[in-house]
Amino acid sequence: MRTDQILQVILTGLSQGGIYALIGLGFSLVSMSTRVLNLAQGAYAVWGGFLFIAMVSALGLPPLAALGLAIIATALLGIVTERLVHIRSKPWRPISLDVAVLSTLALSVVFEGAAFLVWGPDPQRGPAIQSGVFRLFGAVVVWQSVWMFGAMIVLSVALHLFLRHTWMGQAMRACAQNTLAAHLLGINVRRVGLVTFGIAAMLGATAGMLVSPVTWIDYQIGGYFMLQGVLAFLLGGEEEVAGPVVGGLLLGIVENVLLLFPGGGLLKQVIPMILLIAVLLWRPQGLLAKRAA
Amino acid sequence: MCFTASFRMNSISRRSLMLRAGAAGLAVMGLGAGSVHAQEPIKVGLLLTYQGPTAIFARYEDKGARLAIELANKAGGINGRPIDVVGYDTEGKPDRAGVLFRRLAEEDKVPVVIGPDSIFVVLGMSAVPAQAKVLAIGGPGGYEFVAPKDRTHIVTGWASGGFANALVLAYFKDKLKVKRIGIVTTADTIGQRSADEFVGAAKLVGIEVAKVVSQPASDRDLLPSLRELAGLSPKIDAVAVYGSGPFGTIAVNQTELAGLDVPIAYAGGNIIPELIKDVGPDIGKRFYIATARAAVPGSLPKNDPYAQTVQKFVADYTAKYKEAPTLPAAVGYDMAATAIDALKAVGPDPDKLRDYVTSKQKNFVGAQGVRFNRTPQDGYGVDPRDNVVASIEGGKFVFKDYLPQSFTNLGVKDDAFLGLMREHKMLID
């Protein structure tokens, strides 16, 4: 096994893991402040990717403007999700978590179906922020992968600062601890929920846009994004930002390192699930989170 | 996807319904005697996959099939009876395809079904046609993966499937002087079997396979696998890629990034313009596929024995749809044309139709530029060597050479080739 080969799988794992982490962050954020596992998270990546491609190729917008508009438009999708899921809930009478999760699953199917109706069944490829490659100690690195990883780092740091140092971020964390108490303390829980879902959708959209030149986007790929994001979130644990980031990167690296071994392509689809089962059995709070008292 | 309800009929069948109603009116007035549409129509099933990753093929197959039926109806139908299409969408779900096939056989009473198309669908419902006792003239390119016991009532109209694609290695050995290859494939059952087909073809023509690497079909960064092949010692002088859709295109494109500036032998579903438009121009020139003549109508030599057949199909298709046809459109045409020819020969009796298509329909020339001679042992019914080698130039497939010539030049014996076909279940005993 050569050094450049090992470096290649690690670098590929980091860039893929960065995307898993971004989607996992969306799961973490929503779960943290509303306790809901939002299974529509993968659909935000699909919509973000498709909207970005449509705005650049069909409407001819500059990529930066398209990026901003696609993120905002997908945030609205997140807000719609929150409104529909919590349409009958009150801070003192929260919706059953089972119902909420199933509702987000149903919504993910609706969003996928809508994407099919708007953009059709064919995969589409988005424009790269920077095309081309460079060599790093013999390994080939695609510039877009650097952007994918870099964006994840920047957004993770920004999210961490947001949660620690802004009123809304602290309100989200308060809701995470006790929604009713947060409500009684004067926090507008519904608004917090809207902002949370909106940010989660923006994270998903960013992941979709960044990955669209690499993976291409089709209306059915949301299920794949959702699964990888859930894995990143559950592996890392609900430790605000660090959990999904570590979980996503670990998942990406493990998946790709397996390719170094015979039958790795098949194992790549199985081992992460076995890893998840092991984590859920022996460390259900995730690798980073502290065990609840 | 499950948000779209199944559909029946479309504008063509509604139009034929209206025509029949009009013709019936004329007949009542004594004006329509002798009209094709005055008689009871013969229904045929059309079961394709209009949603999901393979939907793009079905859209073309649908157009090709409907063209064949329209032309047949214009020419007098089946002994004066028009053909009516009963269409359903499998939505890419094998269980749904099985249920719909039964509905076509038992409720709609069709004597033959055109479809299903996708191998992923066919493999999940392959027992149903035999149970329903109705022949499926399907379109799976991987027909050899269908269990032999289920092939009694399934044949395929796709003349140049995965096995035929893999035979491009004869051209690699003969013309490109390739000695050693690596194979990239999808990490799933069909990917592994396709890799086996490449390995078998390589062995037949005397090419060494240095390594087979695989990644899940959902993967979009294939550099780990390609870099592994690039680092092999001694170096490989060609790479074989199996994979449809983005996987196939990305694998092909990333050969350049991985430092594998070598000829690429391709097998898979990327045989339509939409799926090759992202193949880089320099990469397209070293991309080779063994495929049917209908994939290269614009550059097919004029003295080709099938040139007229292919060009007539192109002209008919272009006149009807105002667009150039693709290979899957020719496949759809041949699926329907096979059924039409059989209906003309033996009428709408399901057993006789099956018997005719699987045993008696000889030298049936298809729009793909092939001659079908199916037998109970061979549901393809074509010689997989009788294809052309094509590359990509200007976003289109272009003719490079005839594949049979390479087999002749290499001195590959028929017995050895038939042995390979049996080994890969192209022929069953």
Side-chain angles (χ1 to χ4, degrees):
Chain A
M1 215 172 282
R2 303 183 323 271
T3 315
D4 68 308
Q5 211 177 320
I6 296 168
L7 188 60
Q8 185 72 60
V9 295
I10 290 173
L11 291 173
T12 303
L14 284 175
S15 72
Q16 287 177 3
I19 293 300
Y20 302 160
L22 273 180
I23 298 170
L25 278 170
F27 277 106
S28 175
L29 206 59
V30 171
S31 172
M32 183 189 78
S33 61
T34 67
R35 315 310 303 168
V36 174
L37 188 70
N38 177 17
L39 297 180
Q41 188 66 31
Y44 303 146
V46 171
W47 272 78
F50 267 136
L51 284 168
F52 177 61
I53 295 167
M55 287 177 188
V56 172
S57 57
L59 302 178
L61 292 181
L64 207 59
L67 190 130
L69 286 172
I71 286 178
I72 292 168
T74 313
L76 294 176
L77 216 58
I79 290 168
V80 167
T81 310
E82 197 281 338
R83 280 299 77 207
L84 289 172
V85 169
H86 289 121
I87 199 160
R88 297 191 62 201
S89 74
K90 304 283 181 205
W92 57 91
R93 196 189 62 204
I95 187 173
S96 143
L97 287 181
D98 293 343
V99 172
V101 172
L102 288 173
S103 301
T104 63
L105 180 64
L107 278 171
S108 74
V109 175
V110 171
F111 292 152
E112 270 190 11
F116 171 82
L117 290 175
V118 177
W119 290 291
D122 303 336
Q124 294 186 26
R125 189 181 184 190
I129 295 173
Q130 187 173 356
S131 52
V133 298
F134 66 93
R135 293 242 174 198
L136 186 68
F137 302 114
V140 179
V141 186
V142 181
W143 273 112
Q144 183 70 13
S145 300
V146 177
W147 282 97
M148 282 155 55
F149 186 76
M152 185 276 292
I153 296 291
V154 170
L155 288 172
S156 300
V157 171
L159 198 60
H160 176 78
L161 295 174
F162 172 77
L163 289 171
R164 295 279 161 183
H165 300 292
T166 66
W167 184 89
M168 180 56 80
Q170 288 177 351
M172 283 180 183
R173 295 172 66 208
C175 289
Q177 288 180 11
N178 190 324
T179 310
L180 183 57
H183 169 69
L184 293 172
L185 286 170
I187 293 172
N188 187 335
V189 174
R190 299 190 74 167
R191 186 177 299 162
V192 169
L194 284 177
V195 172
T196 306
F197 271 79
I199 295 174
M202 289 162 95
L203 288 167
T206 307
M209 286 184 286
L210 287 169
V211 89
S212 67
V214 180
T215 65
W216 304 14
I217 295 287
D218 67 68
Y219 75 101
Q220 287 183 315
I221 205 170
Y224 171 76
F225 286 141
M226 185 261 280
L227 183 63
Q228 302 304 91
V230 166
L231 279 171
F233 165 57
L234 294 176
L235 285 175
E238 198 178 318
E239 188 59 32
E240 294 177 1
V241 175
V245 169
V246 170
L249 295 180
L250 181 69
L251 180 62
I253 291 171
V254 166
E255 277 186 348
N256 283 281
V257 165
L258 287 169
L259 293 174
L260 294 171
F261 301 98
L266 294 167
L267 291 174
K268 189 178 174 183
Q269 297 164 95
V270 178
I271 297 291
M273 294 300 168
I274 294 175
L275 186 63
L276 175 67
I277 292 168
V279 168
L280 290 177
L281 285 175
W282 283 287
R283 201 172 162 80
Q285 74 276 29
L287 295 175
L288 260 64
K290 296 180 187 74
R291 191 182 287 274
Chain B
M1 291 304 301
C2 54
F3 62 92
T4 309
S6 68
F7 66 94
R8 276 194 60 164
M9 303 289 183
N10 64 7
S11 57
I12 289 176
S13 48
R14 278 198 297 273
R15 189 161 63 237
S16 74
L17 198 68
M18 289 169 69
L19 283 170
R20 287 203 309 279
L26 289 173
V28 168
M29 292 186 287
L31 300 171
S35 163
V36 168
H37 301 288
Q39 296 192 43
E40 179 70 19
I42 294 175
K43 289 194 281 190
V44 298
L46 183 62
L47 185 59
L48 299 176
T49 301
Y50 298 91
Q51 293 177 47
T54 61
I56 197 163
F57 301 102
R59 293 206 296 277
Y60 285 117
E61 286 159 357
D62 178 277
K63 286 180 173 178
R66 290 183 188 279
L67 172 66
I69 290 166
E70 183 181 294
L71 293 176
N73 280 341
K74 277 183 185 166
I78 308 298
N79 304 320
R81 294 174 65 183
I83 302 164
D84 213 355
V85 175
V86 183
Y88 293 117
D89 181 0
T90 73
E91 296 180 8
K93 297 168 187 161
D95 52 343
R96 177 180 165 81
V99 169
L100 291 173
F101 195 98
R102 284 185 198 283
R103 188 191 294 181
L104 283 166
E106 292 162 11
E107 293 176 27
D108 300 312
K109 307 280 185 199
V110 302
V112 63
V113 174
I114 300 163
D117 46 351
S118 158
I119 183 62
F120 300 101
V121 171
V122 171
L123 286 181
M125 52 75 70
S126 58
V128 176
Q131 290 163 3
K133 297 192 184 332
V134 167
L135 178 69
I137 304 174
Y143 175 80
E144 61 271 29
F145 306 147
V146 177
K149 68 179 173 54
D150 295 334
R151 294 192 203 177
T152 56
H153 285 73
I154 305 177
V155 298
T156 182
W158 197 292
S160 54
F163 181 86
N165 293 155
L167 299 180
V168 76
L169 292 182
Y171 177 82
F172 274 45
K173 177 73 176 180
D174 176 36
K175 298 288 168 69
L176 306 180
K177 308 301 177 198
V178 166
K179 294 184 181 128
R180 188 174 148 86
I181 63 166
I183 300 172
V184 183
T185 188
T186 54
D188 50 43
T189 309
I190 293 177
Q192 300 305 305
R193 288 185 180 186
S194 299
D196 289 345
E197 291 180 337
F198 268 127
V199 171
K203 191 175 166 193
L204 183 74
V205 300
I207 290 177
E208 180 197 351
V209 176
K211 185 143 196 167
V212 178
V213 289
S214 65
Q215 286 190 225
S218 57
D219 273 12
R220 297 294 179 261
D221 190 343
L222 302 171
L223 280 171
S225 293
L226 292 167
R227 287 288 299 153
E228 191 177 346
L229 295 183
L232 290 172
S233 182
K235 295 257 178 226
I236 54 172
D237 44 10
V239 61
V241 171
Y242 167 78
S244 299
F247 183 99
T249 301
I250 290 167
V252 164
N253 278 341
Q254 287 192 336
T255 55
E256 189 175 38
L257 306 182
L260 281 167
D261 192 13
V262 293
I264 301 161
Y266 176 77
N270 291 3
I271 38 74
I272 50 180
E274 292 92 326
L275 292 176
I276 58 167
K277 68 179 165 52
D278 288 305
V279 172
D282 292 335
I283 295 156
K285 286 175 191 161
R286 54 183 175 84
F287 173 109
Y288 297 91
I289 183 171
T291 186
R293 290 164 172 81
V296 292
S299 53
L300 190 65
K302 289 192 170 44
N303 60 354
D304 184 282
Y306 297 95
Q308 277 193 332
T309 305
V310 172
Q311 298 309 341
K312 181 179 182 316
F313 166 70
V314 171
D316 289 340
Y317 187 94
T318 309
K320 179 171 169 60
Y321 297 113
K322 314 293 180 221
E323 65 180 31
T326 60
L327 182 61
V331 172
Y333 185 96
D334 286 348
M335 289 156 72
T338 300
I340 293 163
D341 179 66
L343 283 166
K344 282 179 181 168
V346 297
D349 179 305
D351 290 335
K352 286 181 183 169
L353 277 169
R354 181 190 79 90
D355 184 46
Y356 182 79
V357 171
T358 58
S359 302
K360 295 173 183 157
Q361 191 177 41
K362 295 301 169 196
N363 287 317
F364 180 67
V365 177
Q368 292 168 81
V370 291
R371 211 172 273 275
F372 290 98
N373 286 289
R374 295 185 183 88
T375 64
Q377 292 76 37
D378 178 11
Y380 274 105
V382 294
D383 182 345
R385 291 169 295 187
D386 190 13
N387 280 307
V388 296
V389 178
S391 282
I392 300 171
E393 283 175 25
K396 279 197 260 186
F397 285 109
V398 291
F399 174 89
K400 298 300 281 188
D401 212 334
Y402 286 106
L403 190 59
Q405 189 60 47
S406 288
F407 278 92
T408 307
N409 294 346
L410 293 171
V412 177
K413 300 268 189 298
D414 279 354
D415 284 352
F417 183 71
L418 291 174
L420 184 70
M421 285 185 70
R422 285 200 177 83
E423 188 184 323
H424 290 280
K425 304 282 188 275
M426 292 288 290
L427 289 176
I428 54 173
D429 296 319

